[in-house]
Amino acid sequence: MLESNGFFHIIRHTLRNEGVKGFYRGLKASMLGAIPYEGFKFGFFAFFKPYRPAAIENNTVWNMVCGALAGALGSTIMYPNDTIRRILQVQGSVAEKGYLSASNKPKQPYSGMVQCYRDTYQRFGLKRFYRGLGVNLIRIIPNTSIQFAIYEYGKSIVSSTNEAMN
C-alpha cells in the first residue's frame, strides 16, 4: 500500500511504477466525454433559449434557467462516459489499496474504454453507469446556470461595443 508523503512523492511513485503513461490514465475517456458534453450543453442552451415564457421578463433569469437545463441534460447523456473515465483513472490505485471487494474487482486491469464499458455493463448493468448522477447534477446545475448567464452577458457587452465602434 502506498503511503503518501506529499505531492512530489506521488509523482516519483507514479513515474517509477507506471512511467509517463501513468499520468495520462483516463485522458482519452476525458477527451471523448468533454467535447460532446460541451456540444450537447451549448446545443440544448440554443434550443431552449427562444422559448422564454412571458412570465419571465428578465433575460438573465431565463439564461440561467436554460443553462441549468442544458447542463443537466448534457451531463445526464454523457454521465456513462464520466463513470468509465473514473474507473479507468483509479483502477490501479484503488485495487492496490484494497478498496474494492472481490466481486467488484475486474479480473485484470482494463486495457481501454470499450473493454471497461463491456465489463461494467455485464457485471453491474445499466444502473452502474449512472451511480452518482444526482450528486453530479447538484454540482452541474448551478455551475452551468451561472456559466450561461455570464456567457450571454459577455456577448451583450461585446455586441454593444461593436455597435458603438461602427
Side-chain angles (χ1 to χ4, degrees), residues 2-164:
L2 174 65
E3 290 294 323
S4 173
N5 293 327
F7 178 73
F8 292 109
H9 178 255
I10 297 295
I11 288 176
R12 280 191 306 273
H13 175 80
T14 302
L15 196 55
R16 189 178 320 113
N17 294 311
E18 300 177 49
V20 173
K21 188 177 179 181
F23 294 111
Y24 295 96
R25 187 185 305 136
L27 180 64
K28 188 187 301 181
S30 293
M31 296 304 292
L32 290 174
I35 294 168
Y37 168 67
E38 292 299 324
F40 279 124
K41 192 169 67 173
F42 276 88
F44 283 127
F45 180 78
F47 173 79
F48 289 122
K49 194 174 173 198
Y51 296 103
R52 184 177 77 186
I56 300 177
E57 293 180 19
N58 186 328
N59 273 340
T60 302
V61 170
W62 182 240
N63 289 335
M64 291 179 82
V65 169
C66 292
L69 290 169
L73 289 170
S75 184
T76 301
I77 290 169
M78 294 307 300
Y79 201 74
N81 190 81
D82 209 35
T83 298
I84 295 303
R85 175 190 58 81
R86 283 190 306 276
I87 291 170
L88 290 172
Q89 286 175 333
V90 302
Q91 68 180 343
S93 60
V94 170
E96 285 172 10
K97 292 184 179 182
Y99 292 137
L100 296 177
S101 65
S103 64
N104 285 338
K105 287 183 184 174
K107 292 181 178 84
Q108 59 190 4
Y110 297 117
S111 61
M113 289 179 63
V114 173
Q115 181 191 19
C116 189
Y117 265 107
R118 188 179 304 125
D119 184 63
T120 301
Y121 179 74
Q122 288 172 348
R123 294 171 68 214
F124 306 106
L126 190 61
K127 188 176 179 181
R128 172 62 179 101
F129 292 106
Y130 289 95
R131 186 186 311 165
L133 177 63
V135 172
N136 188 60
L137 291 175
I138 290 170
R139 177 184 66 86
I140 287 290
I141 289 172
N143 177 298
T144 54
S145 177
I146 293 167
Q147 175 190 3
F148 278 105
I150 292 170
Y151 168 75
E152 288 295 316
Y153 180 71
K155 273 179 41 179
S156 70
I157 290 172
V158 170
S159 177
S160 63
T161 303
N162 285 342
E163 288 174 8

